[in-house]
Every structure is written in C-alpha cells, then in structure tokens.
Amino acid sequence: MTKYLIHGGKPLHGTIEISGAKNAAVAIIPAALLVDGKCRIENVPQISDVTLILQILQDLGADVRAVNRTTVEIDCSHIRNKPVPYELARKIRASYYLVGALLGRFGRAQVPPPGGCNLGGRPIDQHIKGFIAMGAEVEVHSGLIDARMPGGRLSGGQVYLDMVSVGATMNIMLAAALADGLTIIENAAKEPHIVDLANFLNSMGANIMGAGTDVIKVRGVKSLRGGSYSIIPDQIEAGTYMAAVAAAGGEVLIQNVIPKHLDSITAKLLEMGVDVEELDDAVLVRRTGPISRANVKTMPYPGFPTDMQPQIAACLCLARGTSVLTEGVWESRYRYVDEFRRMGAKIQVDGKVAVIEGVEQLTGAPVHACDLRAGAAMIVAGLAARGDTEIGGIYHIERGYENIVEKLSSVGADIQILYQPDDETQSQAG
Ligand code: EPU
C-alpha cells in the first residue's frame, strides 16, 4: 500500500497555490450533461474524484478533451441515456448529481446509490423529495435509483428542505434548469460551490436566482448553450494548508483563494493566536507563538465547515488548554480520533462532541487515513509531530487534494511518497 512518510517538526515557509474546488467541480462537470454544445471548464482540480466523474460522462458518450492541465472541454451533444455503471458510481459520493442532470436532460436517470465516507448515515431523501416535487417518479430497485418523468420534461415545483443540504440543493438546481416553469428551493444551502454551480449554469443560459441565499428560484429554460467557465478556488484545500501552518508553525502565503470564503476559518485561527492577513486573492498565515484553545462548532456555510473539522482538531491537540469541538452537520465524524491518540493526542468523544486536551507535543506514528479530511488532518498532525508519521489509505487524500506532497514539499515540509505495490483503490465518498 502506497503511503506518505512525514518527518515532522519543521516550520513551513513559502507560497502555496490553491487548485479549483473539488465540491464545485464534481457538480459542474455533471452539469455539462444539460448543455447542448461544448463546455470549456477551467481551474479543474487534478484529483481522482474528477477523473472518475469525467469517466462516467465518457461512458455516457460525452466527448471529453483535456486542453491543458487544468482545462477540460466537454461536449455532451451526443450522449446516450443509459444506466450509470455501478463500478464507477460507487466510488464517488457526487455520482448523485447524475440523477438530477440526467433527469433534467432526458426525463430518466438510472444511477446506483452513491457510496459514502463513513460520516454516519448519508441519506438522499431530500434530493428525491425535490425530484418528486417536480413531477418525477423515483424508485430504488435492482441496485439503482430509477427516476423518471412521465412525458419527459420535469415541471417546476416548490420544495422546502428539511435540513440544509448541499447535495440536495445542487441536485434540485440541476434537475430544474431545463424544467417547465419555476422551481423554488427553500432552506437551501449557501456554500460557495452552490453559487458556483448557479453561475456556471447561468453562463450557459440558465435562469437561476438567489444562489447564496436560503431561497433559490430556478426558472426553467428550453435549452442550454455551450460556453466557458472557471471553477472557484477550493476553500477546504486552502483551509487545510492554513491549519498546516497553524500546527507546524512558520509563514506561508496561500494564493488563488477568495478570502471571503475563508472567513470562518480565518476567524477561528485568529482566536487561536495564529496571524492571518487577508490580501486580494491570497491569505498570509503565520504562527510563531503558542496555539490558544478554542471551541469550534461546525455548521452549514457561512458557519465553520465540517470538512475542516478534523484539520482544526489536529491544531487544537497542540493548543494550551482544553477545547470543545462539536460536529453540527454529520452524525459522526470522529473516526480519526483513535489514530490521533496513537500520536499522543488527548481526545474524548461523546456523540457529536469531542473534548481535546492540548498536549505539548505530538509524536510520529503509523496511522491510517479513514476518509478524505481525516487523512488531511493526519498530514497536519504529522507535520507538527516529532519524528516520523507514516500515513496509509492515501487514496482517500488523493480524491480531494491535488499534488499535496509537492505543494507541502515546496514550503519546506519533509514529506514523501513511499510507493509500494498492491495499492488499495477502494475509494468512496466526498
Ligand atoms: N441529509 C439528509 N438527507 C438528504 C441529504 C442530506 O438527511 O437528502 C443530511 C446529511 O445526512 C447530513 C446533512 O444533511 O447530516 C448535510 O448533508 P449534505 O447533503 O449537505 O452533504 P453532501 O451534499 O452529501 C457535501 C460534500 C461533503 C460535505 C457536505 C457538507 C460533496 C460531494 N460532498 O456532502 O464533503 O461534508 O456537503 O458541507 O460535495 C468532503 O469533501 O470531505 C465531504 C464529505
């Protein structure tokens, strides 16, 4: 199994460039299924989740061409409507966006239920509620979500989401873009990638209003035309490097970010005694003194992101005093805690709450990444720890972080890939 080996304890210095946002890319690429013509998508992150979603589009007959490292052209003019292969869909959480996109385009979608990082239950009932509100019939049988619209074209509907769901908000937007009439999504999620998907669809001729607020209105249009679009920078990738500097110390300029998207992370790091200076499209992060304790509760945007919870926990393990971490989005997201304990962390978990007693020093240990952000957090902890940390399960990390080893090495981290045969490839989730 290929692993990362980190020799920790070195402060980080230099500049890191942030890639395009994973959770925007995995929705915008399926959105190309709705477009008659060629979409040119720029700032696409080179991560395995993107490779997989592009493979699924190709399997449906899309013409996919890499223009350069970060730009892809997708032409879905000649796609076929057929079931999405189980082997591809099960590896990526975001395969659920194919339901909304195919339903919108053809009035029929057959997609295997998505897998999922073990973050507790990951239902998609709110997505289905939205499709039903637009007139679709949805059944789950023979290992497929089978959604069909009698007559082919969905009709606008009104849906109130019982909980703020990123996936349901985007999936309903996808389905509604070509529907007949007006769809209203109430209690919608407000994440930056929701706005990015709306901007992408609008730039191709859709009529979506209110993205970024909790009421989104989609007036269906007859067709979408091709065009060019650039994906926003990845808020969580940037936050992860901010946490790495906070934990390991040093000074790093994190470039190609939208500082506003990082507000909740910046505010928490400032409270913890880390300097964060906002520039136009960069943040300068510096930590020279001790880390102060803090309480963190994860919430939908603009709250502190759940996808930064394990990484901030790594920093709090080294803080002076006791911190309380509360998971407010997922049922459970503490599977990494046992691994942190191997490194000397003092953490007690009770349901959604973790109490972290800061220690003077973490020590390197062999650990296993149990999901994407847990893996990222193990890197953060390993960079700060004394001695060697060997991280297994890195296919989870490569699903969501482009060139993480190169980016960290460029700021002085001692991190390398230990290539070993028989690598695991069982990726899931997102
Ligand atoms: N929920 C339901 N029913 C639904 C949908 C969601 O009960 O139909 C619940 C979930 O169980 C959860 C909460 O609502 O408790 C929020 O879930 P949401 O739908 O917002 O999550 P998601 O769309 O499945 C995306 C990201 C996750 C990120 C969450 C929250 C993608 C592919 N995944 O998941 O990203 O944690 O939003 O921000 O966009 C990651 O990148 O590491 C990751 C896990």
Side-chain angles (χ1 to χ4, degrees):
M1 182 174 51
T2 302
K3 295 181 176 177
Y4 291 159
L5 175 64
I6 301 173
H7 185 71
K10 293 178 79 177
L12 308 176
H13 288 277
T15 301
I16 290 182
E17 196 76 27
I18 297 306
S19 304
K22 165 179 105 68
N23 288 346
V26 296
I28 286 175
I29 293 169
L33 289 168
L34 294 164
V35 179
D36 240 337
K38 198 183 283 176
C39 300
R40 181 187 169 95
I41 309 176
E42 295 168 10
N43 206 29
V44 178
Q46 278 204 318
I47 50 176
S48 60
D49 267 14
V50 162
T51 309
L52 271 167
I53 207 93
L54 287 170
Q55 275 173 10
I56 295 178
L57 260 62
Q58 278 175 310
D59 182 79
L60 294 168
D63 185 10
V64 175
R65 197 173 73 85
V67 177
N68 57 43
R69 207 179 58 80
T70 56
T71 304
V72 67
E73 278 179 357
I74 306 175
D75 188 343
C76 291
S77 311
H78 304 293
I79 55 164
R80 298 176 296 278
N81 188 16
K82 65 182 199 75
V84 171
Y86 167 75
E87 268 314 310
L88 292 174
R90 75 174 182 90
K91 290 185 181 163
I92 174 169
R93 179 75 190 159
S95 55
Y96 52 39
Y97 291 129
L98 298 160
V99 182
L102 289 171
L103 197 53
R105 167 96 185 232
F106 293 114
R108 178 88 192 266
Q110 296 168 88
V111 183
C117 269
N118 222 330
L119 310 176
R122 297 191 72 171
I124 56 163
D125 55 299
Q126 300 301 304
H127 304 226
I128 291 173
K129 176 173 156 176
F131 303 143
I132 291 174
M134 283 184 262
E137 291 165 2
V138 186
E139 286 177 68
V140 181
H141 63 79
S142 321
L144 281 179
I145 303 167
D146 189 352
R148 63 178 83 206
M149 178 64 196
R153 190 157 179 198
L154 293 166
S155 35
Q158 183 149 1
V159 57
Y160 180 90
L161 298 179
D162 296 333
M163 72 285 301
V164 177
S165 161
V166 171
T169 303
M170 302 226 261
N171 225 343
I172 298 168
M173 280 163 61
L174 289 168
L178 295 179
D180 242 342
L182 183 68
T183 299
I184 302 177
I185 311 169
E186 290 179 285
N187 199 25
K190 297 184 272 209
E191 268 66 4
H193 30 293
I194 307 266
V195 179
D196 211 32
L197 175 63
N199 287 343
F200 169 81
L201 288 167
N202 285 344
S203 74
M204 308 284 150
N207 185 352
I208 302 176
M209 296 150 286
T213 76
D214 54 13
V215 181
I216 297 179
K217 295 185 178 165
V218 185
R219 188 166 296 284
V221 295
K222 288 263 178 295
S223 63
L224 298 179
R225 56 172 185 273
S228 191
Y229 190 78
S230 181
I231 291 174
I232 52 166
D234 197 308
Q235 168 208 20
I236 305 300
E237 188 198 11
T240 301
Y241 291 121
M242 292 167 81
V245 182
E251 180 174 317
V252 175
L253 183 69
I254 299 173
Q255 274 184 330
N256 183 33
V257 299
I258 299 174
K260 178 87 195 128
H261 294 169
L262 302 171
D263 276 353
S264 62
I265 303 166
T266 299
K268 203 41 79 176
L269 289 176
L270 287 171
E271 196 183 319
M272 290 162 62
V274 179
D275 291 335
V276 183
E277 200 181 318
E278 285 188 4
L279 306 163
D280 284 347
D281 64 350
V283 284
L284 181 65
V285 186
R286 184 186 318 113
R287 202 229 351 130
T288 44
I291 303 175
S292 310
R293 61 155 301 279
N295 295 338
V296 180
K297 177 166 184 183
T298 69
M299 282 186 279
Y301 191 84
F304 190 89
T306 173
D307 294 344
M308 277 297 299
Q309 186 252 88
Q311 303 90 310
I312 207 77
C315 301
L316 294 174
C317 286
L318 293 161
R320 285 194 174 163
T322 301
S323 306
V324 179
L325 193 53
T326 309
E327 175 55 45
V329 175
W330 295 108
E331 220 170 82
S332 154
R333 204 171 190 170
Y334 293 119
R335 290 200 317 143
Y336 61 87
V337 162
D338 281 343
E339 305 302 294
F340 273 18
R341 287 194 185 118
R342 288 179 210 277
M343 301 177 73
K346 289 194 180 158
I347 311 181
Q348 296 304 322
V349 176
D350 185 4
K352 294 188 165 202
V353 177
V355 177
I356 306 178
E357 198 186 315
V359 294
E360 197 65 42
Q361 179 92 66
L362 293 171
T363 46
V367 290
H368 189 83
C370 48
D371 64 57
L372 168 61
R373 306 304 173 187
M378 282 165 209
I379 294 181
V380 171
L383 291 170
R386 186 169 22 131
D388 287 350
T389 299
E390 216 178 86
I391 305 176
I394 61 163
Y395 57 87
H396 284 297
I397 301 170
E398 294 180 345
R399 288 187 28 237
Y401 290 88
E402 177 178 313
N403 293 339
I404 191 163
V405 170
E406 290 79 355
K407 289 187 187 188
L408 285 170
S409 301
S410 77
V411 292
D414 186 345
I415 175 169
Q416 47 179 297
I417 304 177
L418 295 180
Y419 289 103
Q420 286 167 5
D422 304 316
D423 198 3
E424 294 175 57
T425 50
Q426 300 297 308
S427 99
Q428 287 209 334

